[in-house]
Amino acid sequence: MLFVFVEGPDDESYFTKVFASSWEFYKIIKYAGMKNDKINDFIKSIGCMPNGDYLFFGDSDGMEIEKKRESLLLKFPNLSSDKLFIVQFEIESWYYAGVDESMCRKLKMKNFIFQTDGLTKEQFYSKLARPSDKKYVMACILNQYMLSLAIERNYTLNLFVIHEEERTCNAVC
């Protein structure tokens, strides 16, 4: 069983739509709002499970990637560094990375940018014609998502995809 730790519901939607088809048995754990001790104990218990594995995602929230990694590893001592992935800056940058300029125009998103590494949640929302369309636009993006384009446009997503390809190969090979 693969446990996927994500911050919240937008992250859950993203991973469920984009990656879940490659995960046979998985469970998404939304950890925002959970007590640190509970998260840390949960991570430890996964190591005791036969075939237990996990992935842990955190937004950089403007911090340097390595500093955010260090911060999360200190906060959760049972967290293994090779299972920790930092999304730069926030999950919205991974959403936006998966659509091309044509799709952005169809969704009436403003000011297309190619490289999404520096895109914050607020910048993503500012691209929307109406901020109230957030859920609709994010759902449309996931329905048209182009992972191959997204890994070109976002460095931290590319790092995760490379890891997933290696993890999947190791499990099958």
Side-chain angles (χ1 to χ4, degrees), residues 7-8 17 36 70 74:
E7 290 186 4
K17 187 72 173 180
N36 293 351
E70 290 170 15
L74 285 172

Side-chain angles (χ1 to χ4, degrees), residues 14 17-19 87-88 90-105 107 109 112-117 119 124 127 137-158 161:
Y14 178 84
K17 187 72 173 180
V18 178
F19 290 103
V87 177
Q88 189 175 27
E90 294 158 311
I91 196 67
E92 287 78 5
S93 69
W94 284 19
Y95 272 85
Y96 188 70
V99 293
D100 61 13
E101 192 167 3
S102 169
M103 182 63 178
C104 285
R105 277 194 304 273
L107 292 171
M109 296 181 79
F112 179 80
I113 58 168
F114 187 80
Q115 205 60 38
T116 68
D117 295 326
L119 188 72
F124 177 83
K127 293 183 174 305
V137 169
M138 291 174 97
C140 288
I141 287 172
L142 291 178
N143 285 331
Q144 302 293 316
Y145 201 78
M146 295 176 268
L147 184 57
S148 59
L149 174 64
I151 61 176
E152 279 183 59
R153 296 179 63 200
N154 190 285
Y155 175 73
T156 57
L157 176 58
N158 186 34
V161 169

Side-chain angles (χ1 to χ4, degrees), residues 21-50:
S21 64
S22 63
W23 299 331
E24 189 173 357
F25 300 106
Y26 74 96
K27 180 168 178 56
I28 303 274
I29 309 297
K30 293 180 282 192
Y31 67 85
M34 291 174 66
K35 294 196 181 294
N36 293 351
D37 290 345
K38 183 175 180 177
I39 297 166
N40 202 46
D41 289 345
F42 195 168
I43 292 167
K44 184 177 182 179
S45 72
I46 293 168
C48 300
M49 297 172 65

